[in-house]
Amino acid sequence: MRYDKGHKDETRRHILDVASAQFRENGIAAVGLAGIMSEAGLTNGAFYTHFASKEELVREVLADALARREARHKANIENGTAIEATIRDYLSTRHRDRTGAGCPTAALVAEIARHPKPTRQAFTGKIADIVGLMAEQIRHGTPEERRRKAIAIYSTMVGALQLARAVSDRQLSDEILDIAVGTAIAIANES
């Protein structure tokens, strides 16, 4: 069967999107290739036309999802969006409740720490880029001070989102988000 030009790229993109949502929703270890391919409407054998291994898929998903997050940060800078708005958006109940479409860092960071070095290196590069973009949004301090603030803010945001998702008490979850917003904004505004 002949496919239209671009079909292979579209199929690869579809597999990436399905895997990305499943990894964020359920965790990398809990998601099998058969489940990804089934949801994508493809056979298991078709996977190897696009990826050499599940680990390659994980790296590609991380690179893609973090590149999308990076693009949002760039758009925020271009639009003059203050860091406070970025913090509030990230630490929102909407983001907390949409794990499968949310930040891959908050959803997967604990698992990434256990993956092979090439996967962790790909993750590290994208996180460094995001920290750099967040530092650009901070108004006060030298470049080094803004970078340190960005690391503290991003760490606060990711950790708070993970905690808010993990607790079973909705009121406590909301409180975690609210307090983290205030803390992250205070760090950003320190002179």
Side-chain angles (χ1 to χ4, degrees):
M1 174 181 217
R2 284 188 126 12
Y3 291 105
D4 294 336
K5 187 176 181 171
H7 175 77
K8 185 174 180 179
D9 291 339
E10 289 173 18
T11 302
R12 181 183 177 84
R13 166 88 263 148
H14 184 57
I15 295 168
L16 280 171
D17 290 342
V18 168
S20 184
Q22 285 191 13
F23 288 162
R24 286 185 258 187
E25 192 71 38
N26 303 307
I28 296 166
V31 173
L33 296 180
I36 291 169
M37 297 308 284
S38 176
E39 186 174 325
L42 300 164
T43 65
N44 290 353
F47 175 84
Y48 295 101
T49 302
H50 302 280
F51 304 97
S53 65
K54 182 179 178 182
E55 195 62 34
E56 181 184 338
L57 175 64
V58 169
R59 277 193 303 276
E60 297 250 357
V61 162
L62 285 172
D64 180 65
L66 290 168
R68 290 177 186 210
R69 185 135 303 272
E70 185 180 1
R72 289 181 69 184
H73 284 284
K74 286 179 181 178
N76 285 344
I77 291 168
E78 290 170 10
N79 296 330
T81 303
I83 189 81
E84 291 85 355
T86 299
I87 293 166
R88 288 182 194 286
D89 180 57
Y90 191 95
L91 293 171
S92 66
T93 56
R94 176 192 51 77
H95 190 200
R96 176 198 60 205
D97 297 343
R98 295 180 63 224
T99 306
C103 175
T105 303
L108 302 172
V109 70
E111 282 189 88
I112 298 305
R114 295 178 187 91
H115 277 258
K117 191 172 185 176
T119 301
R120 292 190 341 268
Q121 286 174 323
F123 179 76
T124 301
K126 286 297 184 187
I127 295 304
D129 292 343
I130 289 170
V131 165
L133 290 167
M134 288 183 74
E136 286 184 45
Q137 283 185 281
I138 297 172
R139 294 182 289 263
H140 306 291
T142 66
E144 178 57 30
E145 290 168 337
R146 291 194 319 267
R147 177 178 164 70
R148 291 174 63 85
K149 289 178 186 182
I151 290 170
I153 291 166
Y154 193 56
S155 298
T156 298
M157 289 166 45
V158 170
L161 188 60
Q162 288 178 308
L163 283 173
R165 286 176 174 166
V167 299
S168 61
D169 180 331
R170 186 69 157 201
Q171 185 176 348
L172 177 58
S173 179
D174 291 345
E175 190 176 9
I176 290 167
L177 293 176
D178 187 53
I179 291 169
V181 166
T183 301
I185 289 173
I187 293 168
N189 290 328
E190 288 175 353
S191 295

